[in-house]
Amino acid sequence: MMKKYAKKLFLSLLVIFIIIKIYLLFKPHVLIWDEAVYYGMGKYLFSNGAIGIWELLRPIILPIILGFSWKIFDSFIIAKILMLCVSIGYIYFTYKIGNEIFGEEVGYFSAMIILLTPIFFLYSGYFLTGILSGFFLLGSIYFILKEKYVIAGIFSTLAFLSRFPHGIGYILLFSWIFFTNNKSKWKKLFKYSLGVMLLLIPFFVFNIFMYNGQNIIVSAIYPILKAMPHQNNPLAPTGNLAYYLIETIKNNFLFGFSLFGAIVFLKEKKRKKEKTKSFILISLILSTYFFYFSIIDNKQLRFSFAFLGLLAIITAKGIHFCFYNNIFRNKYKKYISIALILLILLSGFMYLLKIKKYVSWGRYIEEPGIVTEFYKYFKGTNNTILTSDPVPAGYTENLYLSYYLGEEDLKKVEIHELKSNNIEYIIYTPRSFGCVQNDDKCLSDFKNMKQTINEYNLIFNETYYGEKYYIYKVN
């Protein structure tokens, strides 16, 4: 009986989620930094390098998706629809894994917890890799549980090529197959590795041709090597070791039941061996990702999509236990159930407050001035532009070269580099640069760069949201 109500409640929440997203679909979408990079990279790929922007440290799957959407219809609407489908897929695999391990009710509860998590609602509307790569990771776990190893390998690689830290998932799943299988171990590993190599080899070949100035091995993994230092970017958002523990619970109080869910499952006497193995697998993946993202300097709540689906499953197990089991004596069970209901209501109230704020962020009646005046400044032209802000690359059909990715990138401002790259304009935004304390070389490089740029003709100078934006004409 409760299964039917859980299903109806889940479907109701899903329909509400989709309706709100469809409402926001036709509102102006203002790109943020990372979105613009991925969208610009998509243009670069599908124009054969004629327009867009290229950041070599970025994974390639999202640019392919966004470039495809741009090629079909030069509007953000197609990309929004595709990312909405990915978000629904993330919910779907959360449900499927929960159902596979704990049963259908826990599966529905798991999916509802994701739907009721404000950070998921917010980022399901962005063109970013968090939910996309999380979707592929969850898919790979589900297909491992179903012993469909080739497709699991494909999903593992798609996760990795969407976000490089998901190499962790590949290592864990490969190790899991190796250590937990006696029969047909090598056959299963071969199938999984075959799925991985079907996509990984083309990626390496692409890199060898794209970055052929290095030796063949370095070229093959060049974007990965360039991306690694950014996990400890000193200028990126950061926090202490308890950042994700605190912030995930603050975002959705229900996650506080996750530890309870794990304890409850391990104390259950009647549980199948395969269910225990599956639980250990998702716990291992969850804890490894949680540990990894907790120890790197660059901490942002949107990175939690790597493990949020698995956390929701274990949380749902704890909530399900509180409602439907008789472990507690009757007089305590009543109070615990009341406390749980109050917590759910409080979580729901906080969710509505945050969703109201998030929806208002996306309710632009028209594009703000920074878009129409600055990001679209070169719309309708065909120029090569050196930029410290990638966002214009998402709005116009020009070729953009970055100079904000470090010391080597700054050299593009030098006169001979400007000439060799046929640079016609320079976009300069002070917010794109920063030096850690007492880094004299960085400060010196920045000063020299600014002096060089100031030699050119300033043609645009505006302030938006307290930040300065400049455009210089080189010739």
Side-chain angles (χ1 to χ4, degrees):
M1 182 64 121
M2 290 308 298
K3 187 188 300 183
K4 184 174 73 171
Y5 286 124
K7 183 177 181 179
K8 286 184 176 179
L9 181 56
F10 161 68
L11 291 175
S12 298
L13 289 173
L14 182 61
V15 168
I16 293 170
F17 173 82
I18 293 172
I19 288 172
I20 296 173
K21 287 298 176 180
I22 291 173
Y23 164 72
L24 294 174
L25 195 65
F26 301 98
K27 300 293 180 182
H29 185 86
V30 179
L31 296 175
I32 62 173
W33 183 292
D34 286 353
E35 286 183 294
V37 172
Y38 290 119
Y39 204 86
M41 288 176 69
K43 290 181 178 181
Y44 189 93
L45 281 173
F46 280 80
S47 69
N48 199 27
I51 63 173
I53 195 169
W54 191 256
E55 282 192 14
L56 54 83
L57 54 81
R58 302 277 183 170
I60 199 169
I61 292 298
L62 185 54
I64 291 174
I65 293 172
L66 296 178
F68 176 73
S69 73
W70 166 76
K71 199 69 175 178
I72 292 175
F73 184 54
D74 187 10
S75 169
F76 295 147
I77 290 179
I78 302 297
K80 285 182 179 181
I81 293 171
L82 290 173
M83 298 312 291
L84 175 58
C85 291
V86 168
S87 299
I88 294 171
Y90 188 102
I91 296 165
Y92 172 77
F93 278 127
T94 300
Y95 158 74
K96 293 296 286 185
I97 296 171
N99 178 35
E100 185 71 19
I101 301 175
F102 298 125
E104 197 169 6
E105 285 184 24
V106 173
Y108 285 129
F109 283 2
S110 304
M112 282 190 278
I113 289 169
I114 292 297
L115 280 168
L116 291 172
T117 301
I119 196 71
F120 180 83
F121 178 92
L122 173 63
Y123 281 101
S124 62
Y126 284 90
F127 313 152
L128 295 172
T129 59
I131 293 177
L132 176 68
S133 60
F135 159 71
F136 289 130
L137 175 67
L138 290 171
S140 67
I141 295 168
Y142 174 70
F143 290 118
I144 286 288
L145 297 179
K146 302 300 288 185
E147 298 191 339
K148 296 180 179 179
Y149 295 104
V150 175
I151 193 169
I154 292 172
F155 268 72
S156 290
T157 311
L158 287 170
F160 172 69
L161 297 182
S162 298
R163 213 155 176 264
F164 292 138
H166 284 295
I168 294 170
Y170 167 75
I171 294 170
L172 291 174
L173 291 175
F174 186 93
S175 302
W176 180 259
I177 298 169
F178 182 84
F179 288 110
T180 61
N181 287 276
N182 293 319
K183 293 182 179 180
S184 306
K185 173 194 297 185
W186 299 109
K187 183 179 179 180
K188 292 174 180 178
L189 284 173
F190 173 77
K191 287 182 176 180
Y192 180 67
S193 298
L194 176 63
V196 169
M197 291 303 163
L198 283 174
L199 293 179
L200 202 56
I201 289 175
F203 172 67
F204 289 150
V205 171
F206 172 83
N207 290 339
I208 289 168
F209 283 98
M210 188 75 175
Y211 312 110
N212 57 13
Q214 321 292 325
N215 71 60
I216 192 169
I217 295 175
V218 173
S219 294
I221 60 173
Y222 197 59
I224 303 167
L225 296 175
K226 285 295 183 179
M228 288 177 67
H230 284 261
Q231 63 188 338
N232 289 314
N233 184 351
L235 301 177
T238 188
N240 58 36
L241 287 174
Y243 174 83
Y244 289 102
L245 177 65
I246 295 168
E247 293 301 320
T248 51
I249 293 175
K250 278 173 61 178
N251 201 253
N252 188 339
F253 295 146
L254 297 180
F255 285 125
F257 280 87
S258 56
L259 181 60
F260 188 58
I263 293 170
V264 164
F265 179 77
L266 292 174
K267 283 195 171 185
E268 285 181 350
K269 295 179 180 179
K270 294 181 181 180
R271 63 175 188 269
K272 295 180 180 179
K273 182 180 179 181
E274 286 303 312
K275 302 298 183 186
T276 303
K277 284 177 60 178
S278 300
F279 172 77
I280 292 171
L281 174 61
I282 67 168
S283 299
L284 175 65
I285 294 173
L286 166 61
S287 57
T288 304
Y289 273 102
F290 194 92
F291 175 75
Y292 167 74
F293 284 111
S294 294
I295 62 171
I296 64 173
D297 291 337
N298 190 356
K299 297 180 178 68
Q300 300 180 51
L301 190 54
R302 62 188 173 102
F303 295 169
S304 67
F305 295 125
F307 57 80
L308 209 61
L310 301 178
L311 186 64
I313 293 166
I314 297 175
T315 299
K317 175 62 179 175
I319 293 173
H320 181 267
F321 172 85
C322 288
F323 269 128
Y324 301 117
N325 290 272
N326 294 308
I327 298 295
F328 299 107
R329 288 181 296 173
N330 288 336
K331 64 176 183 178
Y332 293 125
K333 183 182 177 183
K334 176 182 176 182
Y335 296 121
I336 290 172
S337 296
I338 291 172
L340 178 59
I341 291 169
L342 289 174
L343 183 60
I344 291 172
L345 290 174
L346 177 60
S347 182
F349 176 71
M350 296 300 293
Y351 174 81
L352 291 174
L353 289 179
K354 289 181 179 179
I355 292 304
K356 182 181 178 182
K357 179 176 71 173
Y358 292 161
V359 169
S360 69
W361 287 0
R363 287 180 61 191
Y364 289 106
I365 299 174
E366 57 185 23
E367 291 178 328
I370 191 171
V371 174
T372 58
E373 298 165 7
F374 177 64
Y375 294 151
K376 291 185 176 181
Y377 184 88
F378 294 103
K379 194 170 182 65
T381 66
N382 183 21
N383 300 299
T384 302
I385 302 155
L386 188 65
T387 185
S388 63
D389 188 334
V391 179
Y395 288 95
T396 70
E397 277 60 63
N398 297 276
L399 179 61
Y400 292 85
L401 301 180
S402 69
Y403 67 103
Y404 51 79
L405 290 175
E407 184 179 343
E408 286 299 313
D409 240 17
L410 283 178
K411 292 179 181 178
K412 293 175 185 175
V413 178
E414 295 174 4
I415 295 174
H416 68 280
E417 288 285 340
L418 293 176
K419 289 181 178 179
S420 65
N421 289 315
N422 298 314
I423 300 298
E424 299 166 84
Y425 296 91
I426 299 176
I427 292 174
Y428 170 65
T429 49
R431 72 186 184 96
S432 302
F433 302 95
C435 298
V436 295
Q437 193 172 10
N438 299 323
D439 189 344
D440 294 334
K441 187 176 188 314
C442 175
L443 292 170
S444 176
D445 289 342
F446 176 74
K447 182 180 178 181
N448 292 336
M449 174 205 68
K450 189 65 177 71
Q451 287 176 345
T452 302
I453 292 175
N454 282 336
E455 293 177 4
Y456 299 106
N457 183 29
L458 180 64
I459 60 173
F460 182 92
N461 178 5
E462 290 292 342
T463 301
Y464 302 101
Y465 311 111
E467 301 286 353
K468 299 292 293 183
Y469 296 83
Y470 304 95
I471 300 176
Y472 293 84
K473 194 174 189 308
V474 174
N475 295 314

